[in-house]
Amino acid sequence: VQLQASGGGLVQAGGSLRLSCAASPRTFSWYSMGWFRQAPGKEREFVALIVWDTGITRYADSVKGRFTISRDKAKNTVYLQINSLKPDDTAVYYCASSPIYTVLAREYDYWGQGTQVTVSS
């Protein structure tokens, strides 16, 4: 199983990015796909999740209203639209899959390699 994250970059505060995470192969199943982030010197934190079949979503309080998670089932790809970026959003962003509905990183079993998001003030 591979999760390939992309879309990170350097943006100014107030800008936007769209992160993508493509999963392969589709012969394995997952219940949720999540995004997490880890800033230097900090623990990995939950950002958002989406239940693959129903599209139900959940967000960390710190990103509500600015981040939107979505998925394209035909492409086996999950997206994270990030708007109104702040310097505090600077981190490596990871996608991951889980067999359950959870915000806990330890309950995600497959992880992408991460994509760097850097927000300048």
Side-chain angles (χ1 to χ4, degrees):
V1 173
Q2 286 190 323
L3 298 176
Q4 185 71 37
S6 61
L10 172 63
V11 295
Q12 290 188 332
S16 299
L17 283 173
R18 188 174 84 151
L19 309 183
S20 300
C21 176
S24 61
R26 192 58 181 97
T27 52
F28 83 104
S29 61
W30 55 82
Y31 185 80
S32 301
M33 293 286 278
W35 286 97
F36 291 78
R37 65 185 181 185
Q38 188 165 18
K42 295 187 178 180
E43 293 186 354
R44 191 169 298 190
E45 66 172 351
F46 167 76
V47 173
L49 71 84
I50 188 164
V51 177
W52 194 255
D53 284 341
T54 64
I56 292 172
T57 60
R58 181 171 175 176
Y59 297 91
D61 288 343
S62 59
V63 307
K64 280 181 182 176
R66 298 189 300 123
F67 290 19
T68 303
I69 189 171
S70 62
R71 89 290 195 224
D72 184 328
K73 296 171 83 171
K75 294 181 179 180
N76 292 337
T77 299
V78 62
Y79 303 98
L80 187 68
Q81 178 67 41
I82 309 176
N83 297 327
S84 304
L85 277 159
K86 306 175 182 179
D88 284 350
D89 294 320
T90 295
V92 178
Y93 284 70
Y94 298 90
C95 59
S97 66
S98 174
I100 61 174
Y101 179 96
T102 180
V103 302
L104 301 177
R106 66 175 180 267
E107 294 178 333
Y108 283 75
D109 44 14
Y110 294 101
W111 291 81
Q113 83 286 6
T115 184
Q116 176 72 47
V117 172
T118 303
V119 184
S120 62
S121 57

